[in-house]
Amino acid sequence: MLRDQTLLEPALAHVHPFTCGVDLHCHSNASDGVLAPAQVVMRAANNGVRLLALTDHDTLDGLDEALACARQHRGLRLLAGVEISASFCDASVHIVGLDVDADNAALRAGLQRVRDGRAKRAERMAAAIEAALGVRGALAGAMRFAQNPAVVGRAHFARWMVEQGFGQDEAAVFQHYLNPGKPGYVAHDWVSVPEAVAWIQGAGGVAVLAHPARLRLSLKARSALIRAFAGAGGAAVEVVCSAHDDKAVRRFARLAQGLRWQASVGSDFHAPGKARFDLGGCPPLPPGQRPVWTRWLED
Ligand code: AMP
Ligand code: MN
Ligand code: MN
Ligand code: MN
């Protein structure tokens, strides 16, 4: 929550009083968002965001453009971020890195490795989708929707499949074809959780366990994941995000409190009108949480 609501400039007075002015998870078209990095920053500024992190999947490519744009917006501070795709017990685990040094060689090399795996996965995914749908050209089709050819993922395949009439919208296509267990889904080994955390921390950043309600893990495996994440030095979790309904917010707020972890807030914005919260639209953390962002607002 804004510690001092009076810090909001008068121009931002239209912003809903129950948003928190902080958004530490969002995407541009450097990965699977639809807006260019500068458009993301401008939209965030218009929505009253004071502290923003651009956290594209497995790439730092959007940051130069976003940082250049952020310099034009007084009152908005942009953190260099990333969302790393990791694996744990056959499930995908997303780890957000905040305030990383985008020039860090080990982080860059690690992300390159993840992207190489992503490209190979896309070939296997295209074959699975073509077999399931009885069509050709899935990879070329997905690539038309990927502004950054280095990061092609399920969202790009989904957009092509909607265009081709295989579903009404992306959510329907995920539900029928792209979620785990569906015919267009291929298992993939990303990187280990400790490796992803080490890259982030080695680059001076803070590792945050993203949208935990989306984890497809048994209770036992979830506990093991939390131990692995903490064992690697991770101590923060997203409590408020678009994937969390009010019940999930309470649940992960209790988790953060019990573990003495810091709590983060992020819309996971990909495109206007697609998710629960727009850029900067997240409500504040529940009482008693320790915000992960105090270090950046106190500077
Ligand atoms: P990938 O990293 O290629 O496995 O793709 C994961 C991305 O797919 C997420 O970051 C979302 O952008 C998108 N996604 C996952 N599930 C859904 C869904 N049910 N509806 C729409 N988009 C989704
Ligand atoms: Mn995404
Ligand atoms: Mn994610
Ligand atoms: Mn995300």
Side-chain angles (χ1 to χ4, degrees):
M1 173 151 37
L2 287 178
R3 272 124 33 99
D4 181 356
Q5 294 277 349
T6 60
L7 289 178
L8 281 177
E9 292 160 28
L12 304 177
H14 67 282
V15 172
H16 192 279
F18 299 117
T19 60
C20 75
V22 171
D23 194 331
L24 301 180
H25 185 161
C26 66
H27 299 273
S28 75
N29 63 12
S31 65
D32 60 5
V34 303
L35 302 184
Q39 292 176 307
V40 170
V41 171
M42 286 188 279
R43 189 178 183 89
N46 277 331
N47 289 353
V49 174
R50 293 193 304 149
L51 183 68
L52 177 72
L54 179 64
T55 56
D56 273 310
H57 297 285
D58 309 319
T59 186
L60 306 165
D61 285 348
L63 290 171
D64 284 347
E65 180 183 320
L67 286 163
C69 182
R71 279 194 283 276
Q72 315 289 317
H73 287 86
R74 259 207 259 165
L76 181 145
R77 176 160 180 198
L78 179 70
L79 302 177
V82 66
E83 181 177 15
I84 303 183
S85 310
S87 294
F88 191 85
C89 291
D90 297 328
S92 290
V93 176
H94 286 181
I95 299 175
V96 161
L98 299 175
D99 199 23
V100 294
D101 170 9
D103 294 324
N104 181 271
L107 174 63
R108 298 191 75 89
L111 293 177
Q112 182 64 54
R113 205 176 101 207
V114 181
R115 290 194 300 271
D116 290 346
R118 193 177 256 291
K120 293 208 183 81
R121 180 188 73 145
E123 289 176 18
R124 291 185 289 124
M125 194 159 37
I129 290 168
E130 289 177 4
L133 302 179
V135 288
R136 307 292 300 267
L139 186 56
M143 293 305 283
R144 276 202 286 110
F145 287 88
Q147 305 293 321
N148 181 358
V151 184
V152 59
R154 284 186 289 161
H156 305 112
F157 281 97
R159 287 168 201 158
W160 174 73
M161 289 161 77
V162 171
E163 181 200 67
Q164 298 297 304
F166 291 108
Q168 226 186 342
D169 54 25
E170 285 170 48
V173 166
F174 267 89
Q175 199 187 333
H176 291 115
Y177 300 105
L178 300 180
N179 281 337
K182 301 299 176 179
Y185 181 82
V186 296
H188 182 65
D189 199 7
W190 297 99
V191 292
S192 76
V193 167
E195 271 178 299
V197 173
W199 296 339
I200 291 166
Q201 293 183 343
V206 178
V208 180
L209 185 61
H211 44 60
R214 283 182 52 185
L215 289 169
R216 288 174 183 257
L217 290 171
S218 66
L219 275 182
K220 200 173 154 204
R222 193 179 298 234
S223 304
L225 167 66
I226 286 166
R227 281 196 299 278
F229 182 73
V237 60
E238 269 178 10
V239 170
V240 175
C241 61
S242 285
H244 288 181
D245 59 16
D246 293 346
K247 196 172 157 214
V249 169
R250 289 193 293 273
R251 177 173 167 213
F252 292 106
R254 278 196 303 274
L255 179 92
Q257 224 160 7
L259 293 167
R260 301 184 163 279
W261 283 9
Q262 295 183 326
S264 191
V265 164
S267 61
D268 203 4
F269 175 86
H270 284 73
K274 291 277 181 188
R276 184 168 184 218
F277 301 123
D278 202 304
L279 272 170
C282 290
L285 288 169
Q289 297 290 292
R290 292 196 301 142
V292 70
W293 60 81
T294 40
R295 69 194 90 194
W296 298 300
L297 285 183
E298 272 171 357
D299 281 355

